[in-house]
Amino acid sequence: TSPVGVSGLPGVIAIAAGSDHSLALKSDGTVWAWGKNTSGQLGDGTKKKRTTPVQVGALTGVTAIAAGGDHSLAVKSDGTVWAWGYNFYGELGDGTTTNRTSPVQTSGLTGVSGIAAGSNHSLAVKSDGTVWAWGNNGVGQLGDGTTTSRTSPVRSGTISGVTNLAAGAHHSLALKSDGTLWAWGFNLYGQVGDGTTTNRLSAVQVAGLSGVSAIAGGAFFSLAATGG
């Protein structure tokens, strides 16, 4: 009920949490994971639960990490995306629906600068400010104007100028360089922020927000910080 240190993890520069697993990125570009592993989301080649961190395969040169419900994502310094774990909806983006216990490269993505992961979908922003998505799309969370799930990345509509991404369980958020926030996907609870509870299959602007500097997605809600 009080914080304890995670064993044997010096030099951590970033962390991410899925439903029941945790990830850490170290300054040497390696990724470490612990927790539930029934779908291979720890990436150590097994499905064995881990109560202390294990290294994610031979993955090196990583600059960013994200954790979905039961899948994991990493961006390497060469701009490629790698993924492992649960893949029923294609959320690993390797063109299959096969779970992976070790990292596989997400198909056809280069120049990626940031990633985010929802329950069963994945997002990437490229250095040109475009957004790409894959995985479950039953409520429009991929933002491509359809409800068709994708096993490989597709562009999220025409949204551009994006600098940062976040994902809720079944919705997606994008922060643009002009400080506006855009969202799409599941909206039953108003998490898209457009003043409605209508699911959105492509990006709509979040009402009444400008100067946004940071964003986050909860399961069924969204957060934004302005200024600073």
Side-chain angles (χ1 to χ4, degrees):
T1 60
S2 301
V4 294
V6 176
S7 303
L9 271 186
V12 172
I13 59 172
I15 52 176
S19 290
D20 300 293
H21 74 291
S22 305
L23 303 174
L25 172 61
K26 293 180 67 172
S27 56
D28 64 3
T30 61
V31 181
W32 297 72
W34 59 101
K36 184 180 177 181
N37 197 25
T38 54
S39 301
Q41 57 265 54
L42 302 189
D44 67 341
T46 77
K47 293 183 179 180
K48 182 179 179 181
K49 177 181 71 175
R50 305 290 184 176
T51 59
T52 55
V54 292
Q55 188 170 351
V56 176
L59 200 59
T60 59
V62 173
T63 59
I65 54 175
D70 293 307
H71 72 290
S72 305
L73 303 172
V75 180
K76 294 183 69 171
S77 56
D78 63 4
T80 59
V81 176
W82 295 74
W84 58 98
Y86 191 61
N87 198 28
F88 181 82
Y89 297 98
E91 51 265 71
L92 304 188
D94 68 341
T96 78
T97 54
T98 302
N99 294 351
R100 305 291 184 178
T101 60
S102 299
V104 294
Q105 188 172 352
T106 298
S107 303
L109 270 186
T110 58
V112 171
S113 58
I115 49 175
S119 286
N120 300 112
H121 74 291
S122 305
L123 303 169
V125 58
K126 296 179 71 171
S127 55
D128 64 4
T130 60
V131 178
W132 297 75
W134 57 100
N136 188 14
N137 196 28
V139 286
Q141 57 265 57
L142 302 189
D144 67 343
T146 78
T147 54
T148 302
S149 296
R150 309 288 183 175
T151 60
S152 298
V154 293
R155 186 170 173 188
S156 297
T158 59
I159 191 169
S160 60
V162 172
T163 60
N164 197 15
L165 296 169
H170 308 295
H171 71 289
S172 304
L173 304 168
L175 174 59
K176 295 183 68 170
S177 56
D178 63 4
T180 59
L181 181 57
W182 297 70
W184 58 96
F186 190 50
N187 196 29
L188 178 65
Y189 303 101
Q191 57 264 53
V192 170
D194 66 342
T196 78
T197 55
T198 302
N199 295 346
R200 300 297 182 180
L201 308 187
S202 56
V204 294
Q205 188 171 352
V206 175
L209 277 182
S210 60
V212 175
S213 57
I215 55 175
F220 302 110
F221 66 96
S222 304
L223 300 171
T226 58

